[in-house]
Amino acid sequence: MKTTFSIIKADVGGCPGHSIVNEDLLEVAYEKLSEGVESGIIKDFFVTNCGDDLELIMTHDKGEDNEEVHGLAWDTFTAATEVAKERAFYGAGQDLLKDAFSGNIKGMGPGVAEMTFTERKSEPIIAFLMDKTEPGAFNFPIFKIFADPFNTAGLVIDPSLHSGFVFEVWDILEHKRVFMKTPEEMYDLLALIGAKSRFVIKRIFPKEGGKLPDDEPVASISTEKLFHIAGEYIGKDDPVAAVRAQSGLPALGEVLEPFAFPYLVSGWMRGSHNGPIMPVPTYQAKCTRFDGPPRVVALGFQLKNGILTGWEDLFDDPAFDMTRQKAQEVADYMRRHGPFEPHRLPLEDMEYTTLPKVMEKLRDRFEEV
Ligand code: F6R
Ligand code: MG
Ligand code: MG
């Protein structure tokens, strides 16, 4: 049978500031999605947050871009926004950029990572949720998981992974996409995805002739850019991703391995700074120091007939203590640069922030030299 796994997220208000989603909003979301199960729109769900982002993880059999499922997510965010507004939580309704739902939640503000696939005998799947960063933050770990033999032992050892994977990469400025094969096109692929503010990995597919169908994704990442929708700075586009694991795919531990390194991502304070991404359990996913540092949460599920039969908060583990420690050292090191690059993002990335408004004020004072 085919199941669709949908992660739809939005920042509909933080408490306090941009730090975290209040418990009461999570409760509203829980109630709304319970109604969605009762009315048969979705089969199962999980509600959580990463920092100030409300995360709806849903399973159903309606496929991607489904109007009912997206409508349910929109209604859930709207209901949570009402509570956030009543309580004057910060940035209430921030990511809901349109007034009325128009059939597909994409392009309306929330971030979406969905994939439809034939369930295997046992289907482990991981939901990654990030706060205070952008979709390109997934390029590094997704590349490592599916293409780096120093990360994923299975690429070397397991014949069913040996042939590699197909990467669907989006140019989010030009609105184009390209499919690239690894390992044979690995260098070309890296030439693109190293430029993570422009080229982002959207999906991963198995190669033809392998153990898994080559037209069903094994990973999917949200690529929504709020700036492109709103035309002004709203906040970073805190991304989410879903990754399937095991038997013919990277093992659970190979999927988590890249996060043992707190690599640099852009976002953090005012969406304008480079900083380390820190893997944390959900109860530590609150953005505090300098509105960060950026966080990533990993929730692992088992699926059966579209039902989430069990789950685990995967970074709630001392195995990631050293990474968190290192992330804090890197955070401290980066902070010492204050407003200087490369802690602050380069000018072309600052275009999507509030800085141009400051620059505008100085424009007329420049003389020819
Ligand atoms: C980053 C983020 C925060 C805010 C910052 C200023 O994505 O959301 O770092 O940019 O707290 O927020 P305002 O301008 O709302 O006071
Ligand atoms: Mg916010
Ligand atoms: Mg956020």
Side-chain angles (χ1 to χ4, degrees):
M1 63 160 295
K2 283 205 185 195
T3 292
T4 306
F5 189 85
S6 301
I7 314 176
I8 306 188
K9 51 83 39 182
D11 177 348
V12 293
C15 168
H18 287 286
S19 66
I20 191 164
V21 176
N22 183 270
E23 194 70 34
D24 292 348
L25 301 196
L26 297 177
E27 245 168 61
V28 172
Y30 189 90
E31 276 164 30
K32 279 287 182 193
L33 294 191
S34 300
E35 288 167 23
V37 172
E38 276 158 34
S39 60
I41 300 175
I42 53 173
K43 285 191 166 182
D44 205 353
F45 70 90
F46 191 93
V47 167
T48 190
N49 73 294
C50 181
D52 61 2
D53 292 290
L54 177 56
E55 317 275 357
L56 313 179
I57 298 166
M58 299 173 286
T59 52
H60 52 96
D61 55 11
K62 302 204 157 45
E64 290 148 44
D65 294 322
N66 178 268
E67 184 164 350
E68 277 184 289
V69 175
H70 283 210
L72 175 66
W74 182 261
D75 291 345
T76 304
F77 292 136
T78 314
T81 297
E82 271 170 37
V83 176
K85 283 191 172 154
E86 262 166 39
R87 311 257 304 259
F89 286 158
Y90 197 70
Q94 174 184 295
D95 285 359
L96 306 188
L97 303 179
K98 304 278 156 87
D99 295 330
F101 180 67
S102 58
N104 189 320
I105 206 163
K106 284 182 189 159
M108 301 185 72
V112 184
E114 291 186 298
M115 58 179 167
T116 303
F117 50 87
T118 309
E119 276 188 29
R120 294 167 293 167
K121 203 170 86 195
S122 178
E123 189 63 55
I125 186 161
I126 301 130
F128 287 104
L129 319 167
M130 289 182 175
D131 191 30
K132 302 295 183 274
T133 184
E134 58 174 14
F138 273 111
N139 283 6
F140 178 87
I142 296 288
F143 173 81
K144 303 270 290 178
I145 294 165
F146 290 100
D148 180 4
F150 283 74
N151 179 88
T152 298
L155 292 170
V156 179
I157 294 170
D158 181 353
S160 60
L161 271 85
H162 214 85
S163 59
F165 290 92
V166 179
F167 283 65
E168 178 183 338
V169 177
W170 284 19
D171 176 340
I172 55 176
L173 284 187
E174 298 272 327
H175 305 288
K176 289 179 176 166
R177 69 176 177 182
V178 59
F179 291 86
M180 300 183 90
K181 291 180 177 168
T182 56
E184 58 270 42
E185 294 183 294
M186 183 191 285
Y187 298 158
D188 290 333
L189 173 68
L190 284 168
L192 295 182
I193 63 171
K196 61 186 171 41
S197 60
R198 173 152 178 191
F199 297 100
V200 299
I201 301 170
K202 180 66 189 171
R203 286 184 198 87
I204 304 292
F205 292 92
K207 272 195 183 146
E208 214 179 325
K211 207 170 161 182
L212 287 113
D214 63 347
D215 58 348
E216 294 182 4
V218 294
S220 174
I221 300 104
S222 68
T223 49
E224 281 69 26
K225 292 292 268 183
L226 291 171
F227 177 84
H228 295 164
I229 302 166
E232 60 173 348
Y233 181 70
I234 302 287
K236 269 291 190 232
D237 321 281
D238 311 323
V240 290
V243 180
R244 299 164 63 199
Q246 307 281 171
S247 48
L249 294 175
L252 180 79
E254 289 166 339
V255 173
L256 299 177
E257 178 65 9
F259 296 94
F261 171 57
Y263 59 97
L264 293 174
V265 297
S266 59
W268 206 351
M269 174 58 76
R270 297 175 187 277
S272 308
H273 295 82
N274 284 311
I277 187 127
M278 185 158 81
V280 288
T282 43
Y283 61 86
Q284 288 177 345
K286 57 174 111 174
C287 291
T288 52
R289 184 178 179 190
F290 202 54
D291 283 0
R295 315 266 161 146
V296 55
V297 160
L299 296 176
F301 298 94
Q302 284 293 148
L303 260 180
K304 188 182 178 187
N305 299 333
I307 301 295
L308 303 168
T309 55
W311 72 280
E312 195 57 51
D313 193 348
L314 295 165
F315 292 142
D316 188 7
D317 181 353
F320 289 91
D321 280 352
M322 245 167 62
T323 312
R324 290 187 272 266
Q325 177 65 33
K326 173 71 93 188
Q328 290 169 61
E329 284 161 19
V330 174
D332 221 54
Y333 172 84
M334 296 301 283
R335 280 302 302 129
R336 294 278 291 274
H337 295 81
F340 284 81
E341 298 175 8
H343 179 27
R344 203 193 71 183
L345 301 186
L347 265 190
E348 71 257 29
D349 291 341
M350 297 298 289
E351 252 179 69
Y352 308 110
T353 70
T354 43
L355 186 73
K357 289 182 184 152
V358 177
M359 302 291 257
E360 184 61 25
K361 220 173 50 180
L362 297 174
R363 205 176 53 166
D364 294 338
R365 289 177 46 195
F366 278 93
E367 299 166 9
E368 295 296 330
V369 284

